[in-house]
Amino acid sequence: MSDSAGTAPHYTRPLLPTPFHERARALSQVDSFVPWAGYTTVDVFTNAGQEYFAIRNACSVYDLTPMVKYRIAGPDAGRYLNRLVTRDLRKLRVNRVSYCVWCNDAGNIIDDGTVFRLGETEYRLCTAERQLDWLLDSAIGFDVQLSEVTEEIAALALQGPTSCAVLKKLGVTGIERLKPFEFSCFDATGMRLMISRTGFTGDLGYELWADPRQANQLWDALMTAGRSRGIRAIGSRALNMARIEAGFLMPNIDFVSAEGTVRVGTSRSPLELGLGWLVDFDKGHFTGRRALQEQMRQGLQRQLIGLDIAGNKPAANALLYADRKGQREIGSVTSAMWSPTCKRNIALAMVDAPHFAMGTTMWAEVYLSRELVWERRMCKAQVVDKPFFAPERRRVTPPGDF
Amino acid sequence: MNAVATARAAYDCIVIGGGHNGLACAAYLARAGRSVLVLEAADRLGGAALTREFAPGFRVSAGAHLLHQMPARLIEELALEKHGLRWAAQSLPTAALAPDGAALLLSGSGPESIEGPVDREDTEGYARFMALMQRFAAVMNPMLEAVPPRLGTERWADRLSLMRLGWRIRRLGRRDMRELLRIAGMNVYDLLKEHFRSPLLQGALGFDAVLGTNFGPRAPGTVMTLLYRLAAQHGAGARALALPAGGLGAVADALAGAARAAGAEIRLTAPVARVTVAADRACGVTLQSGESIAARAVVSSADPQTSFLGLVGSEHLDTAFVRRVHHLRTRGLAAKLHLALDGLPKFSGLPAAAHGARLLIAPSLDYVEHAYNHSKYGAHSAAPALEITMPTLSDPGLAPTGKHVLSAIVQYAPYELTGGWAGQHEAFAQQLIDQLERHAPGLRSLVRERELLTPPDMEREFRISGGHWHHVDLALDQFYAVRPVPGATQHRTPLPGFYLCGAGCHPGGGVMGIAGRNAARQIIAGEPAQ
Ligand SMILES: Cc1cc2nc3c(=O)[nH]c(=O)nc-3n(C[C@H](O)[C@H](O)[C@H](O)COP(=O)(O)OP(=O)(O)OC[C@H]3O[C@@H](n4cnc5c(N)ncnc54)[C@H](O)[C@@H]3O)c2cc1C
């Protein structure tokens, strides 16, 4: 995107525009932009609540371009990735996607992301943060080539119940046959698109990967195709609400990247984050395996769980106690919201053993400001199943026509 | 899978590499009743401590050429003398050659004394200095010979061994303790300037501090490397600098004898291609020939990079661990020159009787520092520092009657020479002979054949990646409790059943056998007998 950056020295533009910036700027009504991985991106277009309802009830468009993308290719690419992440990727077929986490030697999470198998020996890894140093270090001893391709690919997330219908309208033939975590290439209105049935909302949805030179064309075509299906551009704030309902974790909110922590005991393992289902001890060695096995042997000291909290006040950052008096502290909330769809006051929280067992009750210390008069409330909370929101339609193929 | 591998395992332990540490490890394991197989890639034993022919009828210790660090206790425990180890010379003195004028002779044993062109102050100072250094060496010796503690653990054994070290230093008394703490991090250049006036004496002592390291005498930490050398020598006892009859290969032969006598099997020309891993355990090896051999544990005396990156493979190890191994500094700086001589050269300024000594060309600290400078920029020294032995003076069997062998360690010759060694090998060898000719006029005409081994040559011949004396450079960050890397100290590695026993472990290179012995102990403790 050197053209949009112009000829001015790079330091005069610390944040880059994404290929969709022009369109986003035009739609932005509250001028709320936030930096993300070196790009300026929309936090809110108009109103986060309205944008949230577009995700849940119609169809939302979210600019995903700053998502860091790596191309991993070479004869050892598969073996390399299988040693990098905790999941068994030997089973990942071409045209399939896998959600993965990877750990440092101590078994603590560095980041999560999605692995796309593009070919027999070619993969793409998408992550929230830049990871090139770790990826390169992990490549010692493997015949792989690694390169960052973030700028070469423009990406949009199209999420919500009407997303499939919108793509059909766009002329993406056969999109209804795409299964969850599958991707394929399509030709639509003169564009070549890679589309994956993936997303961060826990609902029916797709991610579109395109040539950045066709960004405006893609955006306009989608908006036109989606007009009758309630399409709406959304910012990060609305997406964050949806991802909490879906029980997805956010780096630096629900955990800190293990290579970025300084204090002892602040890194988190996938087992502690409730991601044990992503850890496969039988697939051969991967970084952190021995440490995780040791953690299994010793038992978990804490775990991230879902909470249902009494009342309707979001328990953001609340400390959690075993007793109502608040004398035995047992953890804290990492993400919290009133879920409009579930009609529940939900939270993700890190809780010490043994309080993370399903059904355990505890107390959340919630602070409320009533016109700057602060009030402290102890709200009863219960450990519940995650995700909080998981509609059947997210899995059904072909998707219903909403 | 693991159960199957274990049930079929032919050996309790496979030792990769028949260098002196591998053989010592095998001997101790076998003596403890373990069934052991040693697999050596080369067609002879010894690794970098070997004797071989380099010209028709001429044999030389082609790697290490002096034995001065092997603990007397180890020689006794393994009854190496019973297994054929004989001495051609012991307690060799050192002669510091002067560019012009008389050489300085340093005694090889007993009270440290000095003869030659130094004043009384230096003479007395030398005795005092060496006495102090010997006291420090005595304190350090147990630390050198024991398995280092792991850092940051809560285990009592680890804390205790740190406390013991502290206690030994404390027991030196206030004055000595203060002095040790003052000088421990210093460079040897400054220390020697404090103590002595004679450049020749300073040069000789400074050279010992940097021999086999990647430092010049002005580098911080070189007092430590000097103390380290003396501490190892302390364990060797009165024998001090010695020439085994038949060269250093005789040490390997005696170790092999001890290992075999205890039941170990040794196979030559058996290069290991990979360590077999099943169910997250080392359970044998596959040879380059394709043959697989199962064992309940595997110990490698190859250097850590070869062991982990080559034989085990990153695939079975964690990323940060692999990064640490990958980043180890392993590039050697020492070369080796071997001359087959038609007669005995005569070094000027050196009494005839002293020609069998260890000869040094390191006439001043600045000389050595200058020699080092070149290597920083990818060049070999214009005027290198040399340690020379002429073993045929005490061990005439190494050459045809009346002929002689000269063996010299040459510093500095970088592994990565700008422009490559291929085009400069010949000229460098020539330059070294010219240099020797200046010290021993007429030497050139005696040279019948010569062989120069640069670090890349030694990498090929000894299979040491980087061709480094210590496998892994001996410096504070690759030292003691963090040697070779955190996660692989105490001879154990992250891969269960896989151990290290070579010079890459504490206490480092030099023909000592300590790494081999200590590794055997860890294996015996960690792997229950079958
Ligand atoms: C130029 C030079 C001069 C030196 N001079 C002295 C000296 O005078 N005095 C002194 O005490 N020390 C000296 N040293 C140091 C000393 O030689 C070494 O530190 C010591 O020999 C190391 O012994 P080791 O058994 O640990 O390893 P090595 O001797 O390196 O033995 C390792 C063995 O493993 C084998 N091996 C490697 N890979 C494989 C494989 N894949 N399969 C099977 N086998 C394999 C190798 O062939 C080798 O035999 C000198 C070193 C150099 C380089």
Side-chain angles (χ1 to χ4, degrees):
Chain A
M1 266 142 300
S2 47
D3 49 343
S4 47
T7 49
H10 66 92
Y11 53 82
T12 62
R13 272 194 110 158
L15 289 180
L16 294 174
T18 80
F20 301 107
H21 186 74
E22 241 177 72
R23 293 295 187 267
R25 170 72 54 201
L27 282 177
S28 165
Q29 293 187 320
V30 294
D31 203 24
S32 171
F33 287 78
V34 288
W36 172 19
Y39 288 92
T40 180
T41 58
V42 177
D43 193 28
V44 179
F45 275 98
T46 308
N47 172 295
Q50 289 174 10
E51 288 162 32
Y52 162 82
F53 281 110
I55 305 175
R56 288 295 178 232
N57 297 338
C59 175
S60 62
V61 177
Y62 179 71
D63 182 358
L64 207 60
T65 309
M67 173 77 75
V68 185
K69 309 168 208 79
Y70 295 103
R71 178 177 182 272
I72 297 164
D76 288 345
R79 279 174 56 230
Y80 164 81
L81 279 164
N82 204 46
R83 137 82 156 31
L84 177 77
V85 304
T86 61
R87 245 185 141 163
D88 189 353
L89 285 186
R90 292 174 305 177
K91 302 173 198 151
L92 185 70
R93 284 176 282 119
V94 176
N95 283 12
R96 296 281 303 171
V97 186
S98 180
Y99 170 67
C100 298
V101 297
W102 51 101
C103 296
N104 65 4
D105 294 21
N108 290 318
I109 289 199
I110 292 180
D111 205 349
D112 64 349
T114 43
V115 175
F116 291 68
R117 184 161 189 184
L118 303 176
E120 274 312 311
T121 59
E122 188 183 348
Y123 295 79
R124 182 182 299 159
L125 173 65
C126 298
T127 76
E129 310 268 332
R130 291 210 151 63
Q131 301 290 350
L132 191 61
D133 52 351
W134 186 261
L135 297 181
L136 286 173
D137 286 343
S138 298
I140 298 168
F142 292 89
D143 187 358
V144 285
Q145 294 90 48
L146 276 162
S147 49
E148 198 196 308
V149 293
T150 307
E151 292 198 29
E152 293 168 26
I153 299 160
L156 289 179
L158 186 71
Q159 303 275 309
T162 65
S163 52
C164 182
V166 172
L167 288 175
K168 272 196 216 156
K169 183 89 183 286
L170 188 71
V172 183
T173 35
I175 188 66
E176 68 281 359
R177 287 195 295 275
L178 206 61
K179 298 198 191 77
F181 290 102
E182 216 173 37
F183 69 89
S184 191
C185 286
F186 298 91
D187 287 300
T189 56
M191 286 175 289
R192 182 120 186 106
L193 293 175
M194 186 177 113
I195 301 179
S196 54
R197 188 163 163 193
T198 47
F200 207 46
T201 60
D203 204 334
L204 174 63
Y206 301 87
E207 288 171 332
L208 282 52
W209 315 85
D211 183 336
R213 285 166 304 193
Q214 296 180 323
N216 286 346
Q217 189 189 344
L218 173 61
W219 182 280
D220 295 341
L222 267 181
M223 288 303 180
T224 310
R227 190 167 298 141
S228 62
R229 301 278 177 164
I231 201 167
R232 179 170 195 137
I234 65 158
S236 299
R237 199 155 340 151
L239 179 65
N240 190 49
M241 297 166 73
R243 75 89 195 167
I244 297 175
E245 290 176 335
F248 290 135
L249 306 185
M250 193 78 152
N252 296 322
I253 302 275
D254 298 298
F255 67 92
V256 179
S257 171
E259 291 291 279
T261 58
V262 187
R263 291 169 182 81
V264 176
T266 54
S267 296
R268 300 286 175 250
S269 84
L271 307 177
E272 291 174 329
L273 290 176
L275 299 175
W277 60 282
L278 292 179
V279 181
D280 189 331
F281 285 111
D282 299 326
K283 68 165 189 161
H285 187 69
F286 57 88
T287 296
R289 181 179 185 275
R290 291 173 190 126
L292 289 171
Q293 238 170 359
E294 184 58 29
Q295 195 173 57
M296 291 273 277
R297 257 195 298 275
Q298 298 194 348
L300 293 183
Q301 290 183 15
R302 60 177 81 84
Q303 199 179 316
L304 187 119
I305 41 94
L307 284 182
D308 189 327
I309 301 172
N312 61 3
K313 298 297 172 211
N317 303 323
L319 291 177
L320 299 169
Y321 299 91
D323 58 325
R324 183 173 198 161
K325 278 194 181 149
Q327 284 170 339
R328 279 180 49 221
E329 193 185 315
I330 56 170
S332 62
V333 168
T334 57
S335 292
M337 71 182 290
W338 165 259
S339 163
T341 305
C342 308
K343 306 280 186 285
R344 286 158 91 190
N345 194 21
I346 59 172
L348 300 173
M350 188 54 82
V351 175
D352 294 343
H355 306 281
F356 49 66
M358 193 59 60
T360 310
T361 55
M362 60 190 76
W363 299 86
E365 183 180 22
V366 180
Y367 285 80
L368 298 175
S369 164
R370 298 186 178 270
E371 294 171 337
L372 288 185
V373 175
W374 285 89
E375 199 177 287
R376 170 173 175 263
R377 270 198 209 158
M378 295 300 270
C379 302
K380 197 166 183 178
Q382 188 171 27
V383 180
V384 295
D385 253 335
K386 288 183 292 148
F388 304 100
F389 176 72
E392 234 353 81
R393 67 183 178 226
R394 79 188 193 281
R395 275 204 292 243
V396 175
T397 310
D401 185 25
F402 298 102
Chain B
M1 205 165 170
N2 196 18
V4 175
T6 310
R8 277 205 315 252
Y11 298 92
D12 287 327
C13 192
I14 284 175
V15 180
I16 301 175
H20 83 282
N21 272 319
L23 293 169
C25 185
Y28 279 101
L29 284 171
R31 284 158 52 101
R34 305 296 168 105
S35 58
V36 183
L37 173 66
V38 179
L39 297 167
E40 167 56 51
D43 58 4
R44 57 181 144 64
L45 293 171
L50 78 167
T51 311
R52 65 154 168 77
E53 198 173 60
F54 70 102
F58 292 80
R59 291 187 307 137
V60 71
S61 301
H65 63 181
L66 279 166
L67 188 71
H68 54 120
Q69 304 192 316
M70 187 167 272
R73 197 148 52 98
L74 188 148
I75 294 176
E76 246 164 62
E77 276 172 6
L78 295 180
L80 296 187
E81 293 181 343
K82 196 188 108 204
H83 291 288
L85 185 61
R86 300 279 176 276
W87 306 101
Q90 303 186 38
S91 314
L92 279 189
T94 292
L97 301 178
D100 37 34
L104 192 65
L105 280 171
L106 307 173
S107 63
S109 64
E112 304 285 346
S113 67
I114 190 167
E115 252 177 77
V118 287
D119 58 19
R120 241 191 68 199
E121 227 172 291
D122 269 0
T123 311
E124 291 171 9
Y126 179 68
R128 263 201 318 275
F129 176 78
M130 288 311 285
L132 179 69
M133 289 305 196
Q134 293 302 351
R135 291 203 292 281
F136 295 160
V139 167
M140 284 178 64
N141 177 266
M143 147 189 174
L144 197 104
E145 296 197 1
V147 174
R150 286 188 306 168
L151 298 180
T153 70
E154 305 278 306
R155 288 173 45 223
W156 267 107
D158 292 333
R159 286 186 183 166
L160 209 64
S161 65
L162 278 177
M163 274 157 58
R164 274 203 209 103
L165 176 62
W167 176 239
R168 279 197 306 273
I169 295 175
R170 190 70 196 83
R171 264 199 337 205
L172 275 170
R174 197 147 105 170
R175 267 187 47 189
D176 277 6
M177 180 180 82
R178 272 195 189 160
E179 182 62 3
L180 178 60
L181 296 181
R182 181 183 77 91
I183 68 172
M186 261 174 83
N187 72 64
V188 78
Y189 186 101
D190 288 346
L191 181 72
L192 295 172
K193 289 272 173 178
E194 276 177 16
H195 283 270
F196 304 110
R197 295 202 290 212
S198 156
L200 203 51
L201 179 56
Q202 290 171 345
L205 293 172
F207 181 71
D208 277 356
V210 297
L211 185 55
T213 72
N214 286 22
F215 297 128
R218 284 190 131 147
T222 41
V223 169
M224 198 46 130
T225 46
L226 177 63
L227 282 172
Y228 210 69
R229 179 182 165 95
L230 293 173
Q233 245 155 259
H234 180 89
R239 205 169 282 124
L241 294 170
L243 290 172
L248 266 283
V251 178
D253 290 342
L255 285 165
R260 285 200 187 96
E265 286 173 50
I266 301 175
R267 276 175 64 180
L268 297 174
T269 330
V272 173
R274 289 202 77 78
V275 171
T276 322
V277 180
D280 201 33
R281 239 196 103 78
C283 58
V285 300
T286 305
L287 301 186
Q288 268 168 29
S289 64
E291 181 188 352
S292 294
I293 308 170
R296 297 165 71 231
V298 177
V299 55
S300 173
S301 69
D303 66 87
Q305 287 185 345
T306 301
S307 298
F308 288 120
L309 307 182
L311 299 178
V312 171
S314 317
E315 205 172 352
H316 300 293
L317 301 164
D318 288 350
T319 289
F321 179 81
V322 167
R323 171 179 56 200
R324 287 198 288 270
V325 172
H326 183 72
H327 286 174
L328 280 169
R329 293 186 308 284
T330 60
R331 307 255 153 109
L333 264 187
K336 195 81 195 299
L337 177 74
H338 305 137
L339 300 180
L341 302 168
D342 278 331
L344 186 66
K346 164 98 191 64
F347 281 85
S348 28
L350 188 69
H355 276 61
R358 176 175 84 116
L359 313 180
L360 299 184
I361 299 184
S364 72
L365 285 167
D366 283 334
Y367 179 96
V368 182
E369 186 71 23
H370 277 304
Y372 174 67
N373 279 348
H374 300 268
S375 68
K376 291 190 289 195
Y377 309 107
H380 59 67
S381 313
L386 265 60
E387 178 190 75
I388 303 162
T389 58
M390 292 192 281
T392 36
L393 280 170
S394 51
D395 196 359
L398 292 171
T401 320
K403 315 276 190 222
H404 285 279
V405 167
L406 181 149
S407 161
I409 296 172
V410 180
Q411 279 187 198
Y412 299 81
Y415 176 85
E416 261 179 352
L417 190 72
T418 308
W421 273 108
Q424 297 171 78
H425 204 270
E426 179 66 26
F428 189 51
Q430 204 52 56
Q431 176 199 318
L432 291 170
I433 291 174
D434 292 347
Q435 183 185 9
L436 287 169
E437 170 77 19
R438 282 195 294 280
H439 283 272
L443 175 139
R444 189 181 305 137
S445 62
L446 297 173
V447 178
R448 168 191 279 264
E449 299 219 27
R450 62 171 159 74
E451 175 184 62
L452 172 67
L453 298 179
T454 63
D457 295 330
M458 287 188 276
E459 176 179 69
R460 267 188 303 279
E461 178 169 354
F462 306 136
R463 295 179 173 77
I464 300 173
S465 68
H468 199 294
W469 181 300
H470 294 284
H471 285 191
V472 167
D473 198 11
L474 199 64
L476 267 181
D477 62 322
Q478 303 187 155
F479 180 74
Y480 194 51
V482 293
R483 184 174 179 88
V485 292
T489 58
Q490 301 195 325
H491 306 280
R492 303 195 189 95
T493 74
L495 177 65
F498 185 66
Y499 296 81
L500 290 187
C501 72
C505 305
H506 175 78
V511 183
M512 292 191 235
I514 295 172
R517 183 193 61 182
N518 289 353
R521 289 193 179 157
Q522 296 291 72
I523 296 166
I524 291 162
E527 306 287 330
Q530 201 157 25

